[in-house]
Amino acid sequence: MSLRVMVVDDHPMWRDAVERDLAAAGHEVVGVAANGREALARFPAARPQVVVLDLQIPEPDGVQVTAEMVAKDPSVRVLILSASGEQADVLAAVKAGATGYLVKSASREELLDAVRRTADGDPVFTPGLAGLVLGEFQRISEEPEPARPETGLTERETEILKMVAKGLSYKQIAERLVLSHRTVQNHVQNTLRKLQMHNRVELTRYAIELGLDED
């Protein structure tokens, strides 16, 4: 599957290497940028499906760029590729709307796999970081929060939401429910629309808050 990808990194050698790897894998690199201003300026015309984004870029930084891109186009998927694996950086990126987070020690194969999975809306994290993110969402879910309004989710959408909360990928959900991968994606997109959320990470947090991961 060929994807439209944008690469944002202020280090020319690293940016060029990622661009080459993506192109060699059959993806279309529709835009590159060296800082936050360039990224946001080129984003509308580039219309990427996935943005591979470094956090430590000249202003605005990767967190702000992520938030602004997702606000402009809720369908875009942002994969952070950063030298930092610090908890504060990871959580800030996820809360801004990033779908995945890899540290730059990741291999070429891991990066390409992460880009494909991110395009599908699967949360992708460098090993060890996923537990950190879910742990933070668990902590937040224990804090008092106003009751949410009736969502209008169907029985099937609720069933899939429970599986999302448990960390299952679209492929695993499809196999368990004997559905096509596309059907599962459609159910998740409908759920996101009904809940007025932007990505699967937000959906996972919501499901954990409701305790659906424990059913």
Side-chain angles (χ1 to χ4, degrees), residues 73-85:
D73 179 6
S75 69
V76 73
R77 309 298 187 194
V78 178
L79 173 64
I80 299 299
L81 186 61
S82 174
S84 170

Side-chain angles (χ1 to χ4, degrees), residues 113-162:
D113 179 65
V115 168
R116 286 190 294 269
R117 291 173 57 196
T118 297
D120 282 340
D122 280 345
V124 183
F125 295 93
T126 291
L129 298 185
L132 180 156
V133 173
L134 290 176
E136 175 68 5
F137 286 169
Q138 287 278 18
R139 184 191 66 75
I140 293 173
S141 71
E142 293 169 1
E143 298 175 355
E145 185 168 308
R148 291 182 181 262
E150 180 62 37
T151 61
L153 296 183
T154 66
E155 184 176 338
R156 177 64 88 186
E157 287 165 352
T158 301
E159 185 177 22
I160 291 175
L161 180 57
K162 290 179 181 179

Side-chain angles (χ1 to χ4, degrees), residues 43-105:
F43 176 71
R47 295 182 297 108
Q49 294 166 273
V50 178
V51 178
V52 178
L53 173 66
D54 186 13
L55 277 189
Q56 286 77 30
I57 54 176
E59 293 186 353
D61 66 17
V63 171
Q64 187 175 339
V65 169
T66 297
E68 293 194 30
M69 285 183 171
V70 171
K72 289 180 179 178
D73 179 6
S75 69
V76 73
R77 309 298 187 194
V78 178
L79 173 64
I80 299 299
L81 186 61
S82 174
S84 170
E86 293 296 320
Q87 175 174 338
D89 289 335
V90 178
L91 294 177
V94 171
K95 290 175 182 177
T99 301
Y101 194 111
L102 288 185
V103 295
K104 286 187 172 180
S105 58

